[in-house]
Amino acid sequence: MAADLGELLVPYMPTIRVPRTGDRVFKSECAFSYDSPESEGGLYVCMNTFLGFGREHVERHYRKTGQSVYMHLKRHVKEKATGAAGGAISRRRNGKVFLDLELNRDFNGDEYDCEDEAKLVIFPDHFEIPLPNIEELPALVTIACDAVLNAASAYKKQEPDSWDEEIQVSKHARSLRQQDNGVRIPPSGWKCQKCEMKENLWLNLSDGAVLCGKWFFDGSGGNGHALDHFKDTNFPLAVKLDNLTPDIADIYSFDEEEAVLDPQISEHLQHFGIDIIPIQRNGTDNGHHNTDNTNGMRPRVSEWEVIQESGMKLKAVYGSGFTGIKNLGNSCYLGTIMQVLFSIPEFQRAYVGNLQRIYDYSPLDPSTDFSTQMAKLGHGLLSGLYSKPPMKSELIEQVMKEEYKPKGISLKMFKALVSNGHPEFSSNRQQDAQKFFLHLINLVERNSVGLENPNNAFRYLVEERVQCCQTQKVRYTQKVDYLMQLPAPIEAASNREELIAYEAKRNEAEENMRAPPEPVRARIPFTACLQAFTEPENVPDFWSSELQAKSAGVKTSRFASFPEYLVVQIKKFTFVVDWVPKKVDLSIDIPDFLDLSRLRGTGLQAGEQELPDLTPPIVLPEDTRGKKGSPEIDESAAMQLAEMGFPLEACRKAIYYTGNMGPEMAFNWIIAHMEEPDFAEPLALPTFMEPGPSVAGSGLAATPLENHPPEESIAILTSMGFPRRHSVQALKATNNNLERALDWIFTHTEREEEEETSDALSDMADTTEPNDSDASGPQIKDGPGRYELFAFISHIGASTMSGHYVCHIKKEGRWVIFNDHKVCLSERPPKDLGYIYFYRRLSSS
């Protein structure tokens, strides 16, 4: 028999590999589905690529690659026979076979037995060789099988990125000497003391110096002034200011050259006026940090219970569209966003509707392909395969006792892909659902070239009107956006007197060291939020082209178009003076139906005078070290791009070369230039005699550039979907000004349609999308501004970096609550406590 097996495997020996250092072995999840060893068909692991495949998909991999040898893993889960000894340890025939499945909580009780089984399977004949079979198999095959069986999970190799288990206490922590120099750090408004950068800032814990970093583990850019300071002073420890919360402190030791822990970080921060002691981690629930005990106040039990509808007999629902998502530990921000997105027909059609085509054309490693993993996720949520009701009568009894836990799907592979290289989402910490929504929008945008882009349903144009306070002249511009941020004006609360009385009682209780009163939640009318959104905003550093100088300005924003799906975020989070990141406890009477028609922009009005269409000259700031300065750049837009994982200097260049027109245009510039050798180098400014690519003039007055469009500008417009010929025309007609060229294209649509030829159409053959009415520019699906609420995401906790997220989605006329793996009919959807709201446009009929 041994000789027979050896001869049988000889033709396949060149295709069988032993996992090497760096190889990921996918033993717990199929690359195309959520099948696992516990699934009915088990999981097949390719003995060459070490990818895992469910029974339905292993044939596809065999046909595509010709790989014939797979390891079939199967876990049999059985209930113990009645009378089995209580507390007995579950039997495992091969204890190390499925190392990562030891964490499976679906069957972690004493009433289950688990038996693991492994076989080698040879395709296409499905010849099976049971394992272990050491004596009968060739030595190489035995070594390879043993290595696969004992390999760590593919995802455990990525967990050190979270720095949760690898970081050691610094040798300087307990002996750190801090200077009594009177330095006090404010809760916001920081900038580097040497170059005035406003991001990636580090506070030196010895003398309170705030300086920029460059090389740290989160991938952020900078000029390295924090390291220079260490070399000058030998002060070893610094903490990052950007994401400092009571639960999180990223500390770096320059001397030890690694991230470290500081057990006395609270005292060290307090030395500089940063008091983060009031909020402490006081427990967890389902892996979520509960940090609601703020300033001695009692925990917000009501918010936790109301949002999750605790204490109610909620009816579980199963089937297509009612599949839960397992929490991986602080991953609910991701799960809630994906549940809502795949309740939208455009996302369903783009990924699930094209599932077979996406799978057939997926790369050899589907785990790294965004479209494949989106299609897999959508199918997992919508197929109903992973949301089946219990079948046995005893399990039905468990359901009645609220003991049955539906399995749901686990997004390990998806999370690893979409968070790869991102300093926040690649960690095990809770993150902001709003930030993740925008991050995913960018990923969809980047991976939808030549395909149907579901982002079109969210995209809309914002009309910004800025008026010079001195000349009263105006400038109208448009920018692309995907999310409407609504202020929550506390001063407009309908129970303001009650809030004032509560604040007085709370202060009195603190002074007399008594228990605080019952918290009072602010009740704010939704109309007040809309009113605050439309209020004029002061622009103190506005550059007036009429005055050729800076002047005070006033900005207002309106909708230049209305999206098919409107996403509204309520601004609930703020910093207070004592450095505590505070979530304002408020309730807003969110309407089910919304009419924003009155917020549509009107453009230039009769009697208004436009500011001259001139671009401000480049101003070189003074630099004491003789270096070139930096132009005025929208740093918030640069940081938004940097959060996606791009080098900060590249993001700043992108913002500069696209004329500060926003992150979307800058993103297109990045994609077009990321392969260039100087991509991440600092921006080198032209002299006053050499105007830059996005500058329409130099010196004291703006003069036209040579009317020859630069290839960079053409590339930016064509990357947005405009034909090259129209891009060149627009740039020539506007003296190569990108912002004006974009406006020119929108205002010359009819002429473009008349002049289109077959050559021009071919320019867009790979970028246009079917069934979109205007193929000459970014796809904007404008329509009426009337909407109906269909989903909302709620946050529980004091900070977006902690707590828990839950979403409610309206399906088949009923509200459904998605709370991790639990999916139930909602009895009292807490619409007034939501954080992000999703509206769909009402039909015009």
Side-chain angles (χ1 to χ4, degrees):
M1 179 64 180
D4 293 340
L5 286 180
E7 293 176 2
L8 179 66
L9 288 169
V10 165
Y12 310 107
M13 294 291 284
T15 68
I16 298 176
R17 290 200 306 118
V18 178
R20 298 188 297 266
T21 302
D23 283 336
R24 295 187 297 165
V25 180
F26 294 87
K27 300 192 299 182
S28 62
E29 182 179 338
C30 170
F32 292 106
S33 71
Y34 292 95
D35 287 351
S36 71
E38 291 178 0
S39 302
E40 184 177 352
L43 192 73
Y44 294 80
V45 178
C46 173
M47 292 300 292
N48 183 269
T49 64
F50 311 116
L51 290 165
F53 302 95
R55 181 65 189 88
E56 182 183 354
H57 301 284
V58 65
E59 297 274 4
R60 174 186 286 105
H61 187 257
Y62 161 70
R63 291 192 302 268
K64 179 177 287 189
T65 65
Q67 173 64 22
S68 297
V69 183
Y70 297 82
M71 180 179 290
H72 184 223
L73 303 177
K74 185 75 177 76
R75 166 163 287 182
H76 302 276
V77 181
K78 301 176 182 179
E79 291 183 70
K80 287 183 178 178
T82 305
I89 299 175
S90 300
R91 291 182 289 110
R92 300 191 186 280
R93 197 163 60 197
N94 297 315
K96 295 184 179 179
V97 171
F98 309 136
L99 189 61
D100 51 335
L101 292 187
E102 300 298 331
L103 298 177
N104 190 336
R105 297 178 183 178
D106 294 328
F107 303 101
N108 65 347
D110 294 332
E111 65 273 16
Y112 293 99
D113 272 333
C114 298
E115 294 186 358
D116 297 340
E117 179 183 12
K119 301 176 182 178
L120 278 184
V121 181
I122 303 176
F123 282 79
D125 298 327
H126 294 269
F127 186 85
E128 296 182 351
I129 304 173
L131 297 175
N133 210 336
I134 299 175
E135 296 180 358
E136 300 181 14
L137 295 178
L140 175 65
V141 177
T142 300
I143 294 171
C145 291
D146 188 61
V148 169
L149 290 174
N150 291 282
S153 164
Y155 310 104
K156 289 186 178 179
K157 292 192 177 184
Q158 299 175 11
E159 288 176 3
D161 291 345
S162 68
W163 301 89
D164 287 344
E165 300 178 359
E166 301 293 324
I167 305 178
Q168 303 299 319
V169 174
S170 170
K171 64 182 181 182
H172 301 288
R174 288 181 169 81
S175 60
L176 185 71
R177 298 181 62 181
Q178 295 184 284
Q179 295 183 355
D180 292 324
N181 52 12
V183 172
R184 290 294 179 267
I185 306 299
S188 60
W190 324 297
K191 59 184 178 181
C192 176
Q193 295 175 4
K194 293 189 177 181
C195 67
E196 299 197 348
M197 283 190 65
K198 298 179 181 179
E199 61 280 328
N200 189 24
L201 299 177
W202 294 75
L203 170 69
N204 191 287
L205 292 175
S206 294
D207 63 353
V210 176
L211 300 159
C212 65
K214 185 174 183 179
W215 64 103
F216 290 105
F217 58 85
D218 67 355
S220 301
N223 295 316
H225 289 141
L227 178 60
D228 293 342
H229 186 67
F230 164 70
K231 292 176 180 177
D232 294 338
T233 64
N234 208 34
F235 295 151
L237 298 183
V239 61
K240 189 171 184 182
L241 289 176
D242 303 57
N243 55 359
L244 182 62
T245 74
D247 285 330
I248 300 169
D250 291 328
I251 306 165
Y252 192 85
S253 172
F254 301 101
D255 180 48
E256 297 159 281
E257 296 185 345
E258 63 179 352
V260 295
L261 295 177
D262 177 4
Q264 296 175 283
I265 185 62
S266 294
E267 292 83 354
H268 290 157
L269 290 172
Q270 239 177 348
H271 182 82
F272 299 110
I274 303 175
D275 185 7
I276 62 171
I277 292 178
I279 297 182
Q280 297 294 340
R281 182 178 302 178
N282 63 359
T284 61
D285 184 88
N286 294 331
H288 311 291
H289 301 313
N290 181 9
T291 58
D292 290 342
N293 195 1
T294 309
N295 291 332
M297 293 168 53
R298 67 192 66 182
R300 291 186 208 158
V301 177
S302 60
E303 180 189 61
W304 185 270
E305 292 182 345
V306 170
I307 289 178
Q308 296 189 106
E309 303 189 52
S310 302
M312 299 184 185
K313 297 290 184 180
L314 300 181
K315 180 182 178 181
V317 285
Y318 306 93
S320 174
F322 299 109
T323 303
I325 296 177
K326 295 179 183 179
N327 197 301
L328 305 177
N330 294 323
S331 65
C332 50
Y333 68 92
L334 180 151
T336 52
I337 290 294
M338 301 317 299
Q339 288 282 14
V340 174
L341 290 185
F342 276 108
S343 71
I344 296 174
E346 282 74 5
F347 276 81
Q348 296 173 0
R349 184 172 62 248
Y351 295 106
V352 184
N354 291 314
L355 183 132
Q356 288 304 322
R357 181 179 64 83
I358 291 173
Y359 281 6
D360 288 342
Y361 289 95
S362 64
L364 292 179
D365 185 356
S367 69
T368 62
D369 183 62
F370 179 78
S371 295
T372 299
Q373 293 308 309
M374 284 289 283
K376 168 185 167 180
L377 173 52
H379 181 262
L381 293 176
L382 300 175
S383 65
L385 294 175
Y386 309 98
S387 178
K388 295 180 179 180
M391 298 300 293
K392 295 183 179 180
S393 59
E394 55 266 33
L395 287 183
I396 294 177
E397 292 178 4
Q398 291 181 20
V399 173
M400 300 302 294
K401 297 177 183 178
E402 297 184 353
E403 295 178 359
Y404 177 74
K405 295 182 179 180
K407 295 181 66 174
I409 59 176
S410 173
L411 305 188
K412 286 184 178 179
M413 189 176 294
F414 181 79
K415 184 178 186 296
L417 174 63
V418 299
S419 63
N420 184 33
H422 194 285
E424 295 179 0
F425 302 132
S426 60
S427 74
N428 284 344
R429 301 165 180 160
Q430 189 65 273
Q431 302 297 338
D432 190 343
Q434 179 256 359
K435 286 186 177 180
F436 181 75
F437 170 74
L438 295 177
H439 173 64
L440 193 80
I441 287 293
N442 283 320
L443 290 177
V444 171
E445 201 73 32
R446 193 189 311 176
N447 289 276
S448 293
V449 178
L451 304 172
E452 179 181 2
N453 188 345
N455 280 353
N456 294 346
F458 293 125
R459 191 185 296 113
Y460 64 97
L461 292 175
V462 177
E463 176 189 277
E464 290 189 344
R465 175 187 183 273
V466 182
Q467 184 172 31
C468 174
C469 293
Q470 288 186 245
T471 66
Q472 300 302 309
K473 293 187 176 182
V474 298
R475 171 177 297 150
Y476 285 86
T477 57
Q478 290 185 346
K479 69 174 184 179
V480 174
D481 212 338
Y482 296 90
L483 179 141
M484 178 187 188
Q485 292 184 304
L486 274 187
I490 295 295
E491 64 276 7
S494 59
N495 60 336
R496 188 176 181 185
E497 293 182 359
E498 187 180 2
L499 290 170
I500 294 174
Y502 159 72
E503 195 65 25
K505 291 179 181 178
R506 188 179 70 85
N507 292 335
E508 181 183 355
E510 285 183 356
E511 292 175 1
N512 297 314
M513 301 183 67
R514 295 200 306 263
E518 184 71 26
V520 176
R521 178 172 291 131
R523 296 192 296 270
I524 302 176
F526 183 76
T527 52
C529 298
L530 281 182
Q531 181 62 33
F533 175 78
T534 60
E535 289 294 325
E537 175 187 351
N538 292 326
V539 186
D541 292 331
F542 173 65
W543 189 84
S544 172
S545 56
E546 177 74 16
L547 301 173
Q548 292 283 303
K550 286 186 177 180
S551 170
V554 177
K555 181 176 73 174
T556 55
S557 298
R558 294 290 188 273
F559 287 88
S561 68
F562 288 111
E564 195 164 355
Y565 291 86
L566 178 67
V567 185
V568 180
Q569 177 206 0
I570 303 297
K571 295 181 179 180
K572 285 190 170 186
F573 298 92
T574 184
F575 275 93
V576 291
V577 292
D578 59 358
W579 260 89
V580 176
K582 183 180 180 182
K583 174 182 174 183
V584 182
D585 190 8
L586 51 85
S587 167
I588 299 178
D589 59 336
I590 296 293
D592 286 316
F593 297 93
L594 186 61
D595 189 348
L596 300 179
S597 302
R598 65 183 182 86
L599 297 186
R600 185 181 284 274
T602 57
L604 189 67
Q605 296 295 291
E608 289 184 331
Q609 289 184 295
E610 276 193 289
L611 287 162
D613 196 3
L614 302 174
T615 305
I618 295 176
V619 177
L620 299 179
E622 294 182 4
D623 193 307
T624 56
R625 297 189 300 171
K627 288 186 177 180
K628 288 185 177 180
S630 300
E632 291 193 10
I633 291 175
D634 186 346
E635 298 292 351
S636 62
M639 280 304 298
Q640 185 175 338
L641 291 168
E643 287 175 355
M644 297 170 56
F646 299 116
L648 180 60
E649 286 300 331
C651 299
R652 292 168 59 83
K653 284 199 293 188
I655 295 296
Y656 167 67
Y657 284 127
T658 54
N660 276 323
M661 290 178 62
E664 178 157 336
M665 287 194 67
F667 173 79
N668 291 322
W669 186 95
I670 287 175
I671 296 302
H673 294 79
M674 62 191 308
E675 301 299 329
E676 296 176 0
D678 61 344
F679 174 67
E681 295 298 319
L683 173 63
L685 294 175
T687 65
F688 281 102
M689 300 300 294
E690 300 171 349
S694 63
V695 181
S698 59
L700 297 176
T703 57
L705 295 174
E706 180 182 0
N707 197 15
H708 179 71
E711 283 299 321
E712 285 186 342
S713 300
I714 297 172
I716 291 170
L717 292 176
T718 55
S719 68
M720 297 176 65
F722 301 118
R724 178 181 175 86
R725 185 168 62 87
H726 294 158
S727 301
V728 172
Q729 286 180 339
L731 289 165
K732 284 185 176 181
T734 57
N735 287 334
N736 301 328
N737 184 294
L738 272 172
E739 186 172 356
R740 293 174 56 204
L742 186 61
D743 292 335
W744 187 94
I745 291 177
F746 278 116
T747 56
H748 291 73
T749 304
E750 293 181 1
R751 180 185 301 178
E752 293 172 8
E753 292 174 351
E754 294 172 1
E755 295 177 354
E756 273 184 347
T757 63
S758 58
D759 291 338
L761 287 173
S762 65
D763 287 341
M764 292 191 64
D766 296 329
T767 58
T768 55
E769 303 175 29
N771 303 321
D772 286 317
S773 57
D774 183 5
S776 62
Q779 304 303 322
I780 304 295
K781 297 185 176 181
D782 194 10
R786 295 183 293 109
Y787 295 93
E788 178 183 9
L789 181 70
F790 76 92
F792 62 95
I793 294 173
S794 306
H795 174 266
I796 307 167
S799 166
T800 55
M801 306 300 288
S802 61
H804 183 39
Y805 285 97
V806 173
C807 72
H808 287 72
I809 305 175
K810 198 170 188 180
K811 292 175 176 276
E812 302 172 2
R814 289 289 307 270
W815 283 100
V816 179
I817 178 174
F818 293 80
N819 189 358
D820 291 338
H821 61 280
K822 295 177 289 186
V823 182
C824 303
L825 292 177
S826 172
E827 294 293 335
R828 296 178 184 172
K831 290 180 285 187
D832 60 317
L833 299 181
Y835 176 47
I836 306 174
Y837 296 87
F838 296 81
Y839 284 85
R840 66 166 58 92
R841 182 191 294 155
L842 290 171
S843 60
S844 55
S845 58

